[in-house]
């Protein structure tokens, strides 16, 4: 039994060592899967997921939401990032960009949801309102949450017309529907 534990430990150590990248040099380039605000004038809502950084990506994803009102030249991206809390900043991050589909530190994103046109125009104000009420904007805990996946899951609960379904690997998304109260 002890030998088996040792073999598993060495294998795990090798896996972790092989999967470590330097986040400073990992790709953050656009993946080319978002609708270009230069080409589409309609309102757009897109939700993305990409493998979490380093070895965590083998079993978990990072998710984020991008919205572009009708005629807007850029998307507003909403995401929760844990390292911000360690730096004394809110976990909830908001920024604007023409390319909301950037690689998540080396991991190519997948588009989970795309809503366009009249429906997107109607839902964007509801999403923006829900973002302003997100109860864990200053908190982050990898497990069980609140984390980067708790945020879009909570938005989806507040705006059910979005019909957002996160993948099983969106660990922490269930925290949004728990009876947990923010501290």
């Amino acid at each position: 039994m002890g030998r088996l534990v040792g073999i598993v430990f060495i294998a795990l150590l090798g896996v972790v060592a092989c999967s470590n990248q330097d986040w400073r040099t990992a790709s953050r380039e656009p993946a080319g899967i978002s609708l270009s605000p230069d080409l589409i004038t309609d309102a757009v809502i897109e939700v993305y997921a990409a493998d979490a950084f380093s070895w965590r990506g083998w079993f978990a994803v990072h998710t984020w939401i991008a919205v572009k009102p009708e005629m807007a030249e850029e998307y507003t991206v909403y995401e929760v990032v844990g390292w911000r809390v360690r730096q004394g900043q809110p976990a909830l991050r908001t920024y604007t960009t023409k390319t909301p589909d950037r690689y998540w530190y080396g991991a190519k994103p997948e588009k989970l949801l795309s809503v366009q046109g009249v429906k997107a125009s109607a839902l964007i104000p509801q999403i923006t309102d829900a973002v302003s009420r997100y109860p864990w904007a200053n908190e982050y805990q990898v497990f069980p949450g609140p984390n980067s996946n708790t945020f879009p899951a909570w938005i989806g609960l507040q705006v059910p017309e979005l019909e957002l379904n996160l993948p099983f690997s969106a660990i922490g998304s269930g925290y949004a529907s728990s009876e947990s109260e923010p501290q």
Side-chain angles (χ1 to χ4, degrees):
M1 179 70 173
R3 183 172 182 192
L4 179 61
V5 170
I7 291 171
V8 168
F9 176 76
I10 289 171
L12 202 57
L13 186 63
V15 164
V16 170
C18 291
S19 66
N20 283 337
Q21 308 173 8
D22 183 354
W23 63 268
R24 292 172 293 238
T25 58
S27 177
R28 294 286 287 143
E29 293 297 314
I33 59 175
S34 69
L35 297 171
S36 172
D38 293 333
L39 302 176
I40 186 163
T41 59
D42 286 346
V44 178
I45 301 166
E46 294 188 334
V47 179
Y48 297 95
D51 290 345
F53 181 69
S54 188
W55 59 269
R56 293 170 206 81
W58 292 358
F59 58 87
V61 294
H62 169 81
T63 53
W64 64 97
I65 299 172
V67 300
K68 184 193 84 62
E70 186 175 7
M71 304 302 288
E73 295 181 5
E74 290 186 313
Y75 286 86
T76 299
V77 176
Y78 303 105
E79 67 182 341
V80 166
V81 185
W83 57 260
R84 290 176 52 86
V85 173
R86 290 190 297 275
Q87 294 179 347
Q89 300 173 350
L92 180 56
R93 177 177 181 227
T94 303
Y95 64 94
T96 58
T97 181
K98 287 185 179 281
T99 55
D101 61 343
R102 294 181 353 174
Y103 276 64
W104 180 251
Y105 297 99
K108 184 176 182 177
E110 170 187 347
K111 194 183 303 186
L112 301 178
L113 176 74
S114 185
V115 179
Q116 301 170 41
V118 174
K119 183 177 181 181
S121 286
L123 295 179
I124 288 173
Q126 294 177 48
I127 292 169
T128 303
D129 177 61
V131 168
S132 72
R133 295 182 289 107
Y134 181 61
W136 303 286
N138 296 307
E139 299 177 44
Y140 187 92
Q141 185 175 340
V142 172
F143 186 79
N147 61 29
S148 66
N149 298 313
T150 305
F151 171 69
W154 192 85
I155 298 298
L157 291 170
Q158 304 309 301
V159 187
E161 301 85 0
L162 197 55
E163 301 177 44
L164 176 60
N165 294 307
L166 296 176
F168 179 76
S169 55
I171 296 172
S173 60
Y175 190 87
S177 60
S178 73
E179 297 300 316
S180 300
E181 290 293 323
Q183 298 177 6

